[in-house]
Amino acid sequence: MAKTPRKLKRARSRHAKSCEGKQPHKSRKEAEDTASKLRSERGRRNLVAYNCQQCGKWHLGNKQR
Ligand SMILES: [Zn+2]
Protein backbone atom coordinates (compact mmCIF):
# COMPACT_ATOMS: atom_id res chain seq x y z
CA MET A 1 0.00 0.00 0.00
CA ALA A 2 1.33 3.39 -0.98
CA LYS A 3 1.49 6.11 1.58
CA THR A 4 -0.47 9.27 0.97
CA PRO A 5 1.87 12.21 0.63
CA ARG A 6 0.27 14.41 3.23
CA LYS A 7 2.43 17.44 2.60
CA LEU A 8 1.69 17.41 -1.08
CA LYS A 9 -1.99 16.97 -0.44
CA ARG A 10 -2.09 19.90 1.94
CA ALA A 11 -0.14 22.16 -0.39
CA ARG A 12 -2.44 21.39 -3.27
CA SER A 13 -5.71 22.03 -1.53
CA ARG A 14 -6.13 25.20 0.43
CA HIS A 15 -8.72 23.53 2.54
CA ALA A 16 -8.71 24.16 6.22
CA LYS A 17 -9.01 21.28 8.64
CA SER A 18 -12.75 21.61 8.74
CA CYS A 19 -12.89 20.87 5.04
CA GLU A 20 -10.84 17.70 5.20
CA GLY A 21 -12.68 14.63 4.11
CA LYS A 22 -15.58 16.67 2.86
CA GLN A 23 -16.66 16.65 -0.70
CA PRO A 24 -16.60 20.14 -2.22
CA HIS A 25 -19.54 21.04 -4.40
CA LYS A 26 -19.20 23.92 -6.76
CA SER A 27 -22.75 25.12 -6.53
CA ARG A 28 -25.62 25.16 -4.10
CA LYS A 29 -27.76 23.12 -6.47
CA GLU A 30 -25.15 20.41 -6.75
CA ALA A 31 -24.78 20.25 -2.98
CA GLU A 32 -28.53 20.22 -2.44
CA ASP A 33 -28.97 17.47 -5.01
CA THR A 34 -26.41 15.31 -3.25
CA ALA A 35 -27.91 16.13 0.12
CA SER A 36 -31.40 15.09 -0.90
CA LYS A 37 -30.04 11.91 -2.44
CA LEU A 38 -28.24 10.98 0.78
CA ARG A 39 -31.28 11.92 2.82
CA SER A 40 -33.47 9.47 0.96
CA GLU A 41 -30.87 6.77 0.34
CA ARG A 42 -29.20 6.75 3.72
CA GLY A 43 -31.75 8.40 5.95
CA ARG A 44 -29.50 11.35 6.70
CA ARG A 45 -32.36 13.60 7.63
CA ASN A 46 -30.25 16.27 9.25
CA LEU A 47 -28.06 16.78 6.24
CA VAL A 48 -27.83 20.35 5.03
CA ALA A 49 -25.82 22.10 2.35
CA TYR A 50 -23.81 25.08 3.47
CA ASN A 51 -21.44 27.54 1.87
CA CYS A 52 -18.00 27.06 3.34
CA GLN A 53 -16.18 30.09 4.69
CA GLN A 54 -12.83 28.35 4.33
CA CYS A 55 -12.83 27.35 0.69
CA GLY A 56 -15.87 29.15 -0.71
CA LYS A 57 -17.41 25.91 -1.93
CA TRP A 58 -20.41 23.99 -0.73
CA HIS A 59 -20.26 21.15 1.73
CA LEU A 60 -22.77 18.92 3.38
CA GLY A 61 -23.03 18.91 7.12
CA ASN A 62 -25.35 18.01 9.92
CA LYS A 63 -27.91 20.50 11.00
CA GLN A 64 -27.00 21.85 14.42
CA ARG A 65 -29.88 22.07 16.80
ZN1 LIG B 1 -14.54 24.02 2.65
Side-chain angles (χ1 to χ4, degrees):
M1 241 203 309
K3 272 192 200 168
T4 310
R6 301 203 70 182
K7 266 186 193 168
L8 197 86
K9 213 173 165 185
R10 205 180 307 171
R12 198 171 50 195
S13 78
R14 314 198 90 204
H15 270 189
K17 255 222 156 80
S18 60
C19 297
E20 273 179 24
K22 285 183 183 167
Q23 176 106 29
H25 299 279
K26 59 182 184 293
S27 69
R28 174 175 203 150
K29 193 187 175 301
E30 198 181 289
E32 294 279 8
D33 282 354
T34 307
S36 65
K37 203 170 125 185
L38 289 176
R39 271 188 224 116
S40 60
E41 281 180 5
R42 301 195 199 172
R44 302 278 300 274
R45 289 167 65 198
N46 288 328
L47 213 57
V48 286
Y50 67 93
N51 192 212
C52 181
Q53 301 292 309
Q54 309 292 336
C55 66
K57 293 194 171 125
W58 291 80
H59 294 311
L60 303 181
N62 290 312
K63 208 186 288 180
Q64 304 286 335
R65 281 217 183 214

